[in-house]
Amino acid sequence: MRINYNVTAMLTNNALHRNDSKLSKAMERLSSGYKINNAKDNPSGLAISRRMNAQIRGLDAAGENSTSGISVIEIADGALGEVHEILQRMNELAIKASHGVLSDDDRTMIDDEFQALKDEAQRISDTTQYNGKNLLDGSFDMKGYTDKAEVKVSYYDAKVPVGKYTMDITPAWDGDKLADGTTVAVTDPSGNDISGQLNVRVKDDEIILTGAQNFEIRMTVAAGAGAVNDMEVDITGMGSMTLQVGSNEGQTLEVKIPAMNTKNMGIEKTDVLTQENGRNAINDVDFAIKFVSSARSALGAYQNRLEHTVNNLGTTSENMTSAYSRVMDTDMAVEMTHYSSYQVVNQAATSMLAQANERPATVLQLLQ
């Protein structure tokens, strides 16, 4: 028996220390609810869980973005719903003004209301906002450019292939208005002459090119401009509202909201002061109704997509959270079992350490 080094006590103390460490770790897991509290607990598991957590939070943020996108579309669609009502009333007024029994004085009074409604439609286009951003003034319409100062791209349909077109324009003028006889030769970005596939229509100072599959480009020509040759028209496909609807780069939705002003609707200079003008106004207002209907239809499609996106993001976030929980969360039942076991062993080890510390005292009996 030796008294300088109590090896038994040292062994017992080491065992107690190891068990106490396990007991402390079990208490940490039980109190925090996580089985990974530090990098040393599970280095690879911590790295995986951090990426999962970032994606979950990104999905939640994307869900909020999608919801706000729905709000934007609802505001725009609500405003266009009122424009629709205005156009319906303008259509009624145009039909009344076309009636042959009315005098010019009668049509003047009808035109007063007609012009007031037109001004209100323009005001709605200019002032409809979400969070200070104008929605219907063309801020979120796709942009197009020309290399000639006398011709501007005012509108093109979203289905027009992007790229650089080459055009030759020979305008015919009736005073300050474009007239029938205006011709346009068009070469597409691939170098193909597509002039025969397009219809040319003129409205005031605007040339409207239409073709199959909703192909439509509108260009405003400066009053009195002559022939324009080798004009490059850049259809960029850019300028629409970009909504971040996913947690990763590139997961976006482009929302195009065309300028819903009276010029794009084709009624900027429409009046019903004469019977003939009233008849023309019926066609103009009908075109405007179709234009607004097309825009509202597109907005409705965007809203449906966003609602499905919100649902999908919620489902994905739920599943990712479940996976994250399996990596990070403590199984309380299992950990409580371990805790109870460590506690019993810890109490036993403490008792044995006390006994080991008493053993050297028995040597005193040999020295009596």
Side-chain angles (χ1 to χ4, degrees):
M1 301 180 68
R2 298 172 178 83
I3 61 172
N4 284 337
Y5 296 99
N6 190 345
V7 177
T8 303
M10 292 174 63
L11 293 173
T12 305
N13 184 61
N14 287 339
L16 177 61
H17 178 74
R18 288 193 297 271
N19 190 72
D20 188 66
S21 178
K22 293 179 181 178
L23 180 63
S24 297
K25 181 57 65 178
M27 292 178 66
E28 182 181 22
R29 289 171 176 169
L30 287 169
S31 60
S32 67
Y34 294 115
K35 61 183 175 185
I36 302 177
N37 292 284
N38 303 289
K40 65 183 180 64
D41 295 338
N42 186 345
S44 61
L46 180 68
I48 293 171
S49 66
R50 289 299 90 190
R51 288 198 300 270
M52 283 185 175
N53 185 254
Q55 187 165 6
I56 290 168
R57 295 176 68 173
L59 288 169
D60 293 341
E64 293 178 3
N65 288 351
S66 300
T67 302
S68 64
I70 291 173
S71 298
V72 169
I73 292 173
E74 287 176 341
I75 291 172
D77 184 58
L80 291 181
E82 195 58 38
V83 172
H84 251 153
E85 294 299 321
I86 289 172
L87 292 175
Q88 295 290 358
R89 177 56 182 166
M90 291 174 68
N91 185 58
E92 294 174 8
L93 294 175
I95 293 173
K96 285 184 179 180
S98 302
H99 196 34
V101 301
L102 298 179
S103 66
D104 287 344
D105 289 339
D106 294 331
R107 292 190 180 91
T108 298
M109 289 185 288
I110 293 173
D111 187 65
D112 288 341
E113 182 182 353
F114 189 90
Q115 298 302 323
L117 291 171
K118 190 168 67 173
D119 291 343
E120 179 59 18
Q122 181 65 46
R123 189 195 67 80
I124 291 174
S125 172
D126 293 337
T127 62
T128 300
Q129 294 183 336
Y130 174 83
N131 195 29
K133 290 183 177 293
N134 291 329
L135 300 180
L136 304 178
D137 66 346
S139 297
F140 299 113
D141 197 5
M142 292 188 292
K143 304 298 188 291
Y145 306 95
T146 74
D147 61 350
K148 305 295 183 181
E150 57 268 42
V151 183
K152 305 293 182 185
V153 176
S154 55
Y155 170 83
Y156 60 88
D157 191 89
K159 295 185 178 180
V160 173
V162 300
K164 294 183 178 180
Y165 294 74
T166 302
M167 299 187 186
D168 295 329
I169 300 176
T170 305
W173 294 97
D174 180 9
D176 61 349
K177 294 183 179 181
L178 288 168
D180 293 338
T182 297
T183 61
V184 183
V186 183
T187 303
D188 69 11
S190 299
N192 301 314
D193 187 348
I194 59 173
S195 305
Q197 304 171 26
L198 302 178
N199 296 317
V200 179
R201 187 166 66 89
V202 293
K203 172 66 176 177
D204 297 326
D205 60 348
E206 194 171 52
I207 296 174
I208 304 171
L209 302 177
T210 57
Q213 298 180 338
N214 293 327
F215 186 101
E216 181 177 354
I217 299 177
R218 302 184 197 173
M219 296 173 293
T220 301
V221 183
V228 179
N229 297 317
D230 295 326
M231 180 180 69
E232 186 176 90
V233 180
D234 187 3
I235 301 301
T236 65
M238 298 184 294
S240 54
M241 182 189 301
T242 302
L243 303 180
Q244 180 69 34
V245 295
S247 59
N248 300 318
E249 182 182 2
Q251 295 178 343
T252 59
L253 174 64
E254 303 290 333
V255 176
K256 174 184 179 293
I257 307 178
M260 303 306 297
N261 51 41
T262 54
K263 182 175 183 61
N264 275 359
M265 287 190 282
I267 56 174
E268 182 182 29
K269 298 181 179 180
T270 302
D271 65 64
V272 292
L273 291 172
T274 66
Q275 186 176 14
E276 182 181 359
N277 287 357
R279 290 170 180 168
N280 292 334
I282 294 174
N283 289 330
D284 291 347
V285 173
D286 181 64
F287 175 83
I289 290 174
K290 290 178 181 177
F291 182 73
V292 174
S293 296
S294 176
R296 292 188 69 187
S297 176
L299 289 175
Y302 289 133
Q303 184 170 345
N304 286 337
R305 285 188 63 182
L306 285 172
E307 288 177 351
H308 287 299
T309 297
V310 170
N311 293 337
N312 181 58
L313 288 171
T315 301
T316 304
S317 178
E318 178 184 335
N319 293 331
M320 284 295 297
T321 301
S322 178
Y324 178 75
S325 174
R326 283 191 288 270
V327 174
M328 286 293 295
D329 287 355
T330 298
D331 187 327
M332 301 298 284
V334 172
E335 202 60 47
M336 193 63 199
T337 301
H338 292 163
Y339 173 78
S340 300
S341 176
Y342 298 148
Q343 193 172 42
V344 171
V345 173
N346 199 56
Q347 291 171 356
T350 302
S351 177
M352 291 303 100
L353 180 59
Q355 295 296 323
N357 286 335
E358 289 294 327
R359 287 189 66 191
T362 61
V363 177
L364 294 176
Q365 296 179 11
L366 300 175
L367 299 178
Q368 290 178 354

PDB file of all heavy atoms in Angstrom, residues 256-268:
ATOM      1  N   LYS A 256     -44.461  42.594 -66.314  1.00  0.00           N
ATOM      2  CA  LYS A 256     -44.540  43.712 -67.272  1.00  0.00           C
ATOM      3  C   LYS A 256     -45.882  44.416 -67.110  1.00  0.00           C
ATOM      4  O   LYS A 256     -46.943  43.795 -67.206  1.00  0.00           O
ATOM      5  CB  LYS A 256     -44.388  43.177 -68.693  1.00  0.00           C
ATOM      6  CG  LYS A 256     -44.604  44.223 -69.786  1.00  0.00           C
ATOM      7  CD  LYS A 256     -44.524  43.566 -71.154  1.00  0.00           C
ATOM      8  CE  LYS A 256     -44.749  44.571 -72.274  1.00  0.00           C
ATOM      9  NZ  LYS A 256     -46.126  45.101 -72.286  1.00  0.00           N
ATOM     10  N   ILE A 257     -45.813  45.711 -66.845  1.00  0.00           N
ATOM     11  CA  ILE A 257     -47.029  46.528 -66.752  1.00  0.00           C
ATOM     12  C   ILE A 257     -46.901  47.658 -67.763  1.00  0.00           C
ATOM     13  O   ILE A 257     -46.129  48.597 -67.546  1.00  0.00           O
ATOM     14  CB  ILE A 257     -47.233  47.097 -65.336  1.00  0.00           C
ATOM     15  CG1 ILE A 257     -47.190  45.979 -64.298  1.00  0.00           C
ATOM     16  CG2 ILE A 257     -48.557  47.851 -65.255  1.00  0.00           C
ATOM     17  CD1 ILE A 257     -47.328  46.467 -62.870  1.00  0.00           C
ATOM     18  N   PRO A 258     -47.595  47.584 -68.886  1.00  0.00           N
ATOM     19  CA  PRO A 258     -47.443  48.621 -69.914  1.00  0.00           C
ATOM     20  C   PRO A 258     -48.008  49.961 -69.446  1.00  0.00           C
ATOM     21  O   PRO A 258     -48.804  50.028 -68.501  1.00  0.00           O
ATOM     22  CB  PRO A 258     -48.245  48.066 -71.091  1.00  0.00           C
ATOM     23  CG  PRO A 258     -49.235  47.140 -70.477  1.00  0.00           C
ATOM     24  CD  PRO A 258     -48.567  46.549 -69.274  1.00  0.00           C
ATOM     25  N   ALA A 259     -47.573  51.010 -70.111  1.00  0.00           N
ATOM     26  CA  ALA A 259     -48.115  52.343 -69.831  1.00  0.00           C
ATOM     27  C   ALA A 259     -49.583  52.368 -70.258  1.00  0.00           C
ATOM     28  O   ALA A 259     -49.901  52.167 -71.427  1.00  0.00           O
ATOM     29  CB  ALA A 259     -47.319  53.404 -70.580  1.00  0.00           C
ATOM     30  N   MET A 260     -50.462  52.608 -69.289  1.00  0.00           N
ATOM     31  CA  MET A 260     -51.896  52.568 -69.572  1.00  0.00           C
ATOM     32  C   MET A 260     -52.444  53.979 -69.787  1.00  0.00           C
ATOM     33  O   MET A 260     -53.489  54.350 -69.266  1.00  0.00           O
ATOM     34  CB  MET A 260     -52.629  51.866 -68.424  1.00  0.00           C
ATOM     35  CG  MET A 260     -52.144  50.456 -68.132  1.00  0.00           C
ATOM     36  SD  MET A 260     -52.165  49.379 -69.581  1.00  0.00           S
ATOM     37  CE  MET A 260     -53.913  49.351 -69.941  1.00  0.00           C
ATOM     38  N   ASN A 261     -51.694  54.780 -70.560  1.00  0.00           N
ATOM     39  CA  ASN A 261     -52.132  56.147 -70.837  1.00  0.00           C
ATOM     40  C   ASN A 261     -53.059  56.165 -72.053  1.00  0.00           C
ATOM     41  O   ASN A 261     -53.216  55.172 -72.764  1.00  0.00           O
ATOM     42  CB  ASN A 261     -50.922  57.057 -71.054  1.00  0.00           C
ATOM     43  CG  ASN A 261     -49.941  56.483 -72.068  1.00  0.00           C
ATOM     44  OD1 ASN A 261     -50.347  55.936 -73.087  1.00  0.00           O
ATOM     45  ND2 ASN A 261     -48.647  56.591 -71.785  1.00  0.00           N
ATOM     46  N   THR A 262     -53.653  57.313 -72.270  1.00  0.00           N
ATOM     47  CA  THR A 262     -54.628  57.424 -73.366  1.00  0.00           C
ATOM     48  C   THR A 262     -53.972  57.264 -74.729  1.00  0.00           C
ATOM     49  O   THR A 262     -54.624  56.822 -75.680  1.00  0.00           O
ATOM     50  CB  THR A 262     -55.351  58.775 -73.292  1.00  0.00           C
ATOM     51  OG1 THR A 262     -54.377  59.846 -73.269  1.00  0.00           O
ATOM     52  CG2 THR A 262     -56.210  58.865 -72.034  1.00  0.00           C
ATOM     53  N   LYS A 263     -52.677  57.566 -74.831  1.00  0.00           N
ATOM     54  CA  LYS A 263     -51.990  57.391 -76.116  1.00  0.00           C
ATOM     55  C   LYS A 263     -51.890  55.913 -76.465  1.00  0.00           C
ATOM     56  O   LYS A 263     -52.223  55.500 -77.577  1.00  0.00           O
ATOM     57  CB  LYS A 263     -50.600  58.016 -76.068  1.00  0.00           C
ATOM     58  CG  LYS A 263     -49.845  57.918 -77.404  1.00  0.00           C
ATOM     59  CD  LYS A 263     -48.529  58.645 -77.357  1.00  0.00           C
ATOM     60  CE  LYS A 263     -47.823  58.598 -78.700  1.00  0.00           C
ATOM     61  NZ  LYS A 263     -48.603  59.239 -79.771  1.00  0.00           N
ATOM     62  N   ASN A 264     -51.421  55.099 -75.501  1.00  0.00           N
ATOM     63  CA  ASN A 264     -51.313  53.663 -75.770  1.00  0.00           C
ATOM     64  C   ASN A 264     -52.681  53.023 -75.973  1.00  0.00           C
ATOM     65  O   ASN A 264     -52.811  52.030 -76.690  1.00  0.00           O
ATOM     66  CB  ASN A 264     -50.583  52.964 -74.626  1.00  0.00           C
ATOM     67  CG  ASN A 264     -49.077  53.015 -74.794  1.00  0.00           C
ATOM     68  OD1 ASN A 264     -48.565  53.552 -75.766  1.00  0.00           O
ATOM     69  ND2 ASN A 264     -48.349  52.471 -73.843  1.00  0.00           N
ATOM     70  N   MET A 265     -53.706  53.591 -75.320  1.00  0.00           N
ATOM     71  CA  MET A 265     -55.055  53.060 -75.504  1.00  0.00           C
ATOM     72  C   MET A 265     -55.672  53.513 -76.822  1.00  0.00           C
ATOM     73  O   MET A 265     -56.745  53.032 -77.202  1.00  0.00           O
ATOM     74  CB  MET A 265     -55.950  53.465 -74.328  1.00  0.00           C
ATOM     75  CG  MET A 265     -55.652  52.712 -73.038  1.00  0.00           C
ATOM     76  SD  MET A 265     -56.882  52.998 -71.745  1.00  0.00           S
ATOM     77  CE  MET A 265     -56.383  54.605 -71.150  1.00  0.00           C
ATOM     78  N   GLY A 266     -55.015  54.471 -77.480  1.00  0.00           N
ATOM     79  CA  GLY A 266     -55.494  54.903 -78.791  1.00  0.00           C
ATOM     80  C   GLY A 266     -56.618  55.920 -78.750  1.00  0.00           C
ATOM     81  O   GLY A 266     -57.328  56.092 -79.759  1.00  0.00           O
ATOM     82  N   ILE A 267     -56.787  56.605 -77.638  1.00  0.00           N
ATOM     83  CA  ILE A 267     -57.898  57.567 -77.529  1.00  0.00           C
ATOM     84  C   ILE A 267     -57.400  58.962 -77.168  1.00  0.00           C
ATOM     85  O   ILE A 267     -58.187  59.829 -76.777  1.00  0.00           O
ATOM     86  CB  ILE A 267     -58.938  57.107 -76.480  1.00  0.00           C
ATOM     87  CG1 ILE A 267     -58.280  56.887 -75.123  1.00  0.00           C
ATOM     88  CG2 ILE A 267     -59.647  55.843 -76.943  1.00  0.00           C
ATOM     89  CD1 ILE A 267     -59.259  56.579 -73.997  1.00  0.00           C
ATOM     90  N   GLU A 268     -56.098  59.203 -77.305  1.00  0.00           N
ATOM     91  CA  GLU A 268     -55.531  60.489 -76.867  1.00  0.00           C
ATOM     92  C   GLU A 268     -56.200  61.670 -77.562  1.00  0.00           C
ATOM     93  O   GLU A 268     -56.481  62.697 -76.935  1.00  0.00           O
ATOM     94  CB  GLU A 268     -54.026  60.499 -77.132  1.00  0.00           C
ATOM     95  CG  GLU A 268     -53.343  61.777 -76.665  1.00  0.00           C
ATOM     96  CD  GLU A 268     -51.860  61.789 -76.976  1.00  0.00           C
ATOM     97  OE1 GLU A 268     -51.462  61.154 -77.977  1.00  0.00           O
ATOM     98  OE2 GLU A 268     -51.111  62.435 -76.232  1.00  0.00           O
TER      99      GLU A 268
END
